Amino acid sequence: MRLASLNDGSLDGRLILVSQDGRHATPAPASTLIGALQNWTQAEPALRECSAALEAGKASTFEFDPRRCAAPLPRSPQWLDASAFLNHGRLMERAFGTPPIPDFDTVPVMYQGASDDFLGPHDDVPLPSEADGIDFEGEFGVIVDEVPMGATPAQALAAVRLVVQLNDWSLRALGQREVRTGFGFLQAKPSTAFAPIAVTPQALGPAWQAGRLHLRLDVDWNGRRVGTPSAAEMNFDFGQLIAHAARTRRLHAGTLVGSGTVSNADRAAGSACIAELRMVEKLTYGEIHTGFMKFGDRVRMQACLPGGEPGPFGMLDQRVVQAGPQQ
Amino acid sequence: MRLASLNDGSLDGRLILVSQDGRHATPAPASTLIGALQNWTQAEPALRECSAALEAGKASTFEFDPRRCAAPLPRSPQWLDASAFLNHGRLMERAFGTPPIPDFDTVPVMYQGASDDFLGPHDDVPLPSEADGIDFEGEFGVIVDEVPMGATPAQALAAVRLVVQLNDWSLRALGQREVRTGFGFLQAKPSTAFAPIAVTPQALGPAWQAGRLHLRLDVDWNGRRVGTPSAAEMNFDFGQLIAHAARTRRLHAGTLVGSGTVSNADRAAGSACIAELRMVEKLTYGEIHTGFMKFGDRVRMQACLPGGEPGPFGMLDQRVVQAGPQQ
């Protein structure tokens, strides 16, 4: 099943089902995705029936337009983002000049992000200043059902209901300071943005294996291909990440857990964020050539199958703009 | 105005108005506090009218029972907690053995907490292990209306709609590791708990001055008075804290911003958390005598006027219990 939310001006959007070819859509039998997630046992059969009717040409459809979409889940009970690609974390330690993270190979690191104001796949990204070091971070994430406190990784993985693709917008000049406070990212993390379509693990087929996505993430910055890393290299699987989040708290249905920036040790894969590109330049050439984003810059991200065909999440394509004096 | 939410099994509770003497209550003309906050311009006059009728003995009332209360706002779009009492921060740096926080005197530090699962004033606190270093943190917080990105401290302060009293439950053994990751507190911060009554700034009278609360916080651990610090010593005011939070994001109505642990440089005031008590013991006696909380322990917190009369938020009185294998 492939789900999206139309931006109808409400906080939770209007849930639709999207056809496998991404061309058609039909209203879902639940009005919002959060409502469906909160009552998944009842909601899922009706959604599956509607999805089958859509694929069989038996549903009343309209053209699917990702420009009308909000994030699949426009707000969530919690947004917990890990750093599960160790290659990214190691490069960021060098970029920030911070000491090595304790137990980084064995205990996931994870920050709590704002979960109340996600951006849709074509929304402009209003930010106050280029001097903040505007950067993108290409990632994947999962949306879970209720997870009890103390769930095991296997139990946690069984609670995954949907998989999403996202851009965890970051402000590096602010992040460097916030990492040093120990209190984590806050000003450094403005609203996160999402590709239009959330996909059930079942619909991912062989691209979903043992709690990891076996997909490539193609990242283009102002039309220049800067990264094609594979998500299969994730050093913790999503079950481990969710269980880490649920160690001392229960998770409500709709909680979103992210992978952190997709990153491969093989430098031929490029990078899904600028901070990594800059660090690799420094390590390779002794100096940094690339600056962060300017207002008007665009970044496009799309998951791809190993053969290069577009993945199931649709395109995430945004432009950075200067926020008004009060946006 | 004094507002509370009855725990009726729903995610947002059922809004009520509480009389000034804390003995009577009446159903509010808005069903939930989040609903009222999202539409405050329309909701406030009706709430005020209902509150006036309550005080005049002209409303249909029932006995106010704080044991039936959820948190005043049982879930919130964002929960952003600062560390605005520098005395607390300095002691915690020594307790964690971490390097001094950069710009600690001039730039607020703040972490993003889970905002989807707040506890009521008499709810048990289920936690997995005493070995995690179970601690309380007595604090105050504010609930704001919409705040645009880039708001000034004065604009931010004008958006304060309600003031609350809270216990930011903390797990110190986990916090020490999480501070060192730079990603901030996550496992170290289980669900936060709230005193039953949220109060408008206007109803606080002289206890609310220039964005600070002029109230004492009395903290009793298993019947032993451990702290009576004054909140007036807050080194950043709430306008500065809210503006810090809104630097690169807009805040939705209902966002909650906390002060961090109330703490005074005068050691005669004791402490509103155990970690401080332990650090003071180490500094005074060269060794730590006090352990963290055990299952079955209780902590009570109540704001008091300078003369010792109970403050307007009601009592926060909880017991720590062992979480089941899956809570």
Side-chain angles (χ1 to χ4, degrees):
Chain A
M1 271 195 307
R2 296 148 54 88
L3 297 156
S5 292
L6 293 179
N7 184 351
D8 63 355
S10 70
L11 289 171
D12 294 311
R14 168 86 200 154
L15 186 62
I16 58 172
L17 285 150
V18 183
S19 64
Q20 214 166 344
D21 64 9
R23 295 174 59 186
H24 307 289
T26 190
S31 63
T32 65
L33 182 51
I34 190 70
L37 288 160
Q38 285 169 343
N39 192 22
W40 191 250
T41 310
Q42 273 71 54
E44 191 194 17
L47 288 168
R48 289 208 179 277
E49 195 175 315
C50 187
S51 173
L54 173 64
E55 296 304 338
K58 290 177 180 163
S60 157
T61 65
F62 54 91
E63 188 191 352
F64 176 62
D65 180 1
R67 297 189 173 276
R68 291 175 57 208
C69 286
L73 190 65
R75 58 176 182 161
S76 164
Q78 291 192 63
W79 161 218
L80 302 156
D81 198 14
S83 183
F85 292 86
L86 298 187
N87 187 63
H88 172 71
R90 299 280 183 228
L91 285 169
M92 291 306 295
E93 278 173 11
R94 300 177 82 153
F96 283 162
T98 43
I101 293 173
D103 311 318
F104 191 52
D105 295 353
T106 51
V107 182
V109 295
M110 192 175 277
Y111 80 91
Q112 182 121 25
S115 63
D116 63 329
D117 196 27
F118 294 142
L119 295 174
H122 295 276
D123 289 345
D124 281 345
V125 184
L127 293 171
S129 170
E130 291 176 349
D132 291 339
I134 303 168
D135 200 356
F136 45 83
E137 288 196 340
E139 306 191 7
F140 294 99
V142 293
I143 298 170
V144 297
D145 206 331
E146 281 182 22
V147 177
M149 187 192 296
T152 65
Q155 291 167 329
L157 190 58
V160 170
R161 295 290 167 260
L162 294 163
V163 182
V164 293
Q165 180 203 320
L166 61 105
N167 182 351
D168 180 37
W169 285 99
S170 296
L171 300 170
R172 300 299 184 188
L174 302 171
Q176 185 159 28
R177 201 191 72 79
E178 289 180 334
V179 162
R180 288 173 192 275
T181 67
F183 276 56
F185 305 112
L186 197 138
Q187 293 183 339
K189 296 289 184 181
S191 291
T192 304
F194 290 80
I197 302 170
V199 184
T200 54
Q202 296 79 358
L204 286 165
W208 180 251
Q209 291 177 36
R212 288 176 176 81
L213 265 177
H214 289 249
L215 290 172
R216 208 176 75 201
L217 186 62
D218 288 353
V219 181
D220 297 317
W221 174 19
N222 291 335
R224 172 189 160 210
R225 175 68 43 98
V226 293
T228 57
S230 163
E233 197 173 309
M234 196 159 84
N235 297 80
F236 298 96
D237 71 49
F238 276 109
Q240 292 172 293
L241 299 183
I242 300 161
H244 181 88
R247 162 87 164 74
T248 61
R249 60 179 71 170
R250 59 180 177 167
L251 308 181
H252 282 286
T255 296
L256 179 70
V257 177
S259 67
T261 307
V262 180
S263 181
N264 294 166
D266 178 1
R267 292 208 177 138
S271 292
C273 74
I274 301 172
E276 270 192 32
L277 291 175
R278 287 162 54 92
M279 202 59 226
V280 170
E281 286 174 351
K282 192 169 178 187
L283 296 172
T284 310
Y285 308 114
E287 57 183 9
I288 294 168
H289 301 292
T290 304
F292 288 108
M293 293 181 89
K294 303 287 181 193
F295 294 131
D297 279 13
R298 299 196 77 92
V299 64
R300 289 165 56 122
M301 299 180 178
Q302 187 168 41
C304 287
L305 303 178
E309 313 85 54
F313 306 103
M315 179 76 79
L316 181 46
D317 182 0
Q318 293 183 284
R319 183 181 59 158
V320 173
V321 300
Q322 177 142 37
Q326 290 199 353
Q327 187 77 26
Chain B
M1 271 198 307
R2 295 148 54 90
L3 297 157
S5 292
L6 293 180
N7 184 351
D8 62 354
S10 71
L11 289 170
D12 294 311
R14 168 84 200 158
L15 187 62
I16 58 172
L17 285 149
V18 183
S19 64
Q20 214 165 344
D21 65 9
R23 295 174 58 187
H24 306 289
T26 191
S31 63
T32 65
L33 182 51
I34 190 69
L37 287 161
Q38 285 168 342
N39 192 22
W40 191 250
T41 311
Q42 273 72 54
E44 191 193 17
L47 288 168
R48 288 207 180 279
E49 197 175 313
C50 186
S51 173
L54 173 65
E55 296 305 337
K58 291 179 181 163
S60 157
T61 65
F62 54 91
E63 188 190 350
F64 176 62
D65 180 1
R67 295 187 175 276
R68 291 176 55 206
C69 285
L73 190 65
R75 57 176 183 161
S76 162
Q78 290 190 65
W79 162 219
L80 302 156
D81 197 15
S83 183
F85 292 86
L86 298 187
N87 187 64
H88 172 72
R90 299 281 183 227
L91 285 170
M92 290 306 295
E93 277 172 12
R94 300 177 82 156
F96 282 162
T98 44
I101 294 173
D103 311 318
F104 191 51
D105 296 353
T106 52
V107 182
V109 294
M110 191 174 278
Y111 80 90
Q112 182 120 25
S115 63
D116 63 330
D117 197 27
F118 294 143
L119 296 174
H122 294 276
D123 289 344
D124 281 345
V125 184
L127 292 171
S129 170
E130 290 176 348
D132 291 339
I134 303 169
D135 199 357
F136 45 83
E137 289 197 339
E139 306 192 7
F140 294 99
V142 294
I143 298 169
V144 298
D145 206 332
E146 280 181 22
V147 177
M149 187 191 295
T152 65
Q155 292 166 329
L157 190 58
V160 172
R161 296 289 167 262
L162 293 163
V163 182
V164 292
Q165 180 203 319
L166 61 106
N167 182 351
D168 180 37
W169 285 99
S170 295
L171 300 170
R172 301 301 183 186
L174 302 171
Q176 184 160 26
R177 200 191 72 79
E178 290 182 333
V179 161
R180 288 173 192 275
T181 68
F183 276 55
F185 306 112
L186 197 137
Q187 293 183 338
K189 296 289 185 181
S191 292
T192 305
F194 290 80
I197 303 169
V199 185
T200 54
Q202 297 79 359
L204 286 165
W208 179 251
Q209 290 177 37
R212 287 176 177 82
L213 265 178
H214 289 249
L215 290 172
R216 208 175 75 200
L217 186 63
D218 288 353
V219 181
D220 297 318
W221 175 19
N222 292 336
R224 171 187 161 212
R225 175 66 43 98
V226 292
T228 57
S230 164
E233 198 173 308
M234 196 158 84
N235 296 79
F236 298 95
D237 70 49
F238 276 109
Q240 292 171 294
L241 299 184
I242 300 160
H244 181 87
R247 162 87 164 74
T248 61
R249 61 179 71 170
R250 59 180 176 166
L251 308 182
H252 282 286
T255 296
L256 179 69
V257 177
S259 67
T261 307
V262 180
S263 180
N264 295 166
D266 178 3
R267 291 207 179 141
S271 291
C273 73
I274 300 172
E276 269 191 32
L277 290 175
R278 287 162 54 91
M279 201 60 228
V280 170
E281 285 174 352
K282 190 168 180 188
L283 296 172
T284 310
Y285 309 113
E287 57 183 10
I288 294 167
H289 302 291
T290 304
F292 289 109
M293 294 181 88
K294 302 287 182 193
F295 294 132
D297 278 13
R298 300 195 77 91
V299 63
R300 289 165 55 120
M301 300 181 178
Q302 186 168 43
C304 287
L305 304 178
E309 313 87 52
F313 306 103
M315 180 76 79
L316 182 46
D317 182 0
Q318 292 183 285
R319 183 181 59 157
V320 173
V321 299
Q322 177 143 34
Q326 290 202 356
Q327 187 79 25

